């Protein structure tokens, strides 16, 4: 049994013990600003519109269902839900930095239920209604990084000895 902390101001400051089940998934950059070529963004927007027209509020979208998984992950692309895409440069040398780690509070939400593990789904329901065992599955670590934010850790591409940068988005 782990020791109890002396005091915790907020419940989200104390992580819930959990087990890591790593899996490899493909991720793709957000379709905003200059992250993807304009013709590709136009195709993605048209696909998103067609999905909404066909499937309504539970329809998948590129941003939520296909590009960047929620939760904790190593590498890939950052989710810029709160801030919008930004370039992260090394404070020592000015070189672009790469994403090392994302710590997300939620493992799934209404926009990202496509990333939900099959064993946590009720196949008779759609969207977030399909989550079995409720909030404990959607937020297993119980950690929050501000209001609906992810914590991103970036490393310098030119020199990994340079200090990392942390960004809340």
């Amino acid at each position: 049994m782990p020791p109890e902390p002396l005091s915790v101001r907020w419940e989200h400051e104390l992580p819930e013990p959990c087990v890591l089940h790593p899996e490899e998934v493909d991720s793709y950059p957000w379709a905003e600003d200059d992250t993807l070529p304009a013709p590709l963004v136009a195709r993605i927007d048209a696909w998103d519109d067609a999905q909404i027209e066909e499937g309504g509020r539970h329809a998948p979208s590129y941003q939520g269902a296909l590009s960047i998984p929620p939760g904790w992950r190593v590498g890939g692309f950052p989710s810029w839900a709160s801030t919008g895409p930004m370039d992260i440069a090394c404070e020592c040398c000015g070189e672009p930095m790469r994403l090392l780690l994302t710590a997300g509070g939620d493992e799934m939400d209404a926009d990202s239920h496509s990333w939900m593990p099959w064993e946590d789904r009720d196949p008779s329901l759609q969207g977030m209604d399909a989550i079995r065992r409720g909030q404990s599955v959607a937020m297993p670590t119980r950690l929050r990084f501000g209001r609906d934010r992810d914590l991103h850790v970036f490393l310098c591409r030119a020199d990994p000895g340079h200090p990392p940068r942390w960004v809340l988005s």
Side-chain angles (χ1 to χ4, degrees), residues 11-77:
E11 185 176 302
H12 68 268
E13 292 176 338
L14 181 65
E16 181 72 25
C18 57
V19 178
L20 179 66
H21 297 284
E23 58 184 295
E24 190 171 329
V25 296
D26 292 326
S27 64
Y28 303 95
W30 278 51
E32 292 182 6
D33 300 329
D34 297 328
T35 57
L36 293 173
L40 181 55
V41 172
R43 288 179 54 200
I44 290 169
D45 289 343
W47 182 84
D48 280 347
D49 291 344
Q51 295 301 307
I52 291 170
E53 190 173 304
E54 182 180 316
R57 71 182 190 109
H58 292 300
S61 69
Y62 172 79
Q63 295 297 88
L66 301 175
S67 66
I68 301 172
W72 291 63
R73 55 196 181 276
V74 175
F77 298 93

Side-chain angles (χ1 to χ4, degrees), residues 25-163:
V25 296
D26 292 326
S27 64
Y28 303 95
W30 278 51
E32 292 182 6
D33 300 329
D34 297 328
T35 57
L36 293 173
L40 181 55
V41 172
R43 288 179 54 200
I44 290 169
D45 289 343
W47 182 84
D48 280 347
D49 291 344
Q51 295 301 307
I52 291 170
E53 190 173 304
E54 182 180 316
R57 71 182 190 109
H58 292 300
S61 69
Y62 172 79
Q63 295 297 88
L66 301 175
S67 66
I68 301 172
W72 291 63
R73 55 196 181 276
V74 175
F77 298 93
S79 54
W80 298 116
S82 299
T83 63
M86 63 176 81
D87 293 324
I88 306 298
C90 178
E91 292 177 343
C92 292
C93 67
E95 287 294 313
M97 299 183 90
R98 66 180 166 87
L99 180 64
L100 170 67
L101 173 74
T102 297
D106 295 324
E107 289 294 315
M108 62 196 83
D109 59 30
D111 290 334
S112 64
H113 62 269
S114 67
W115 299 99
M116 183 187 328
W118 291 108
E119 61 270 16
D120 294 330
R121 297 179 189 212
D122 180 337
S124 67
L125 300 172
Q126 293 290 319
M128 288 300 284
D129 296 334
I131 297 176
R132 293 183 182 173
R133 297 182 303 279
Q135 188 65 18
S136 64
V137 173
M139 198 173 137
T141 63
R142 215 176 58 195
L143 288 177
R144 301 299 303 170
F145 303 97
R147 184 173 177 213
D148 298 327
R149 290 179 174 234
D150 289 343
L151 172 66
H152 303 293
V153 180
F154 291 86
L155 291 180
C156 179
R157 292 174 192 243
D159 185 347
H162 289 168

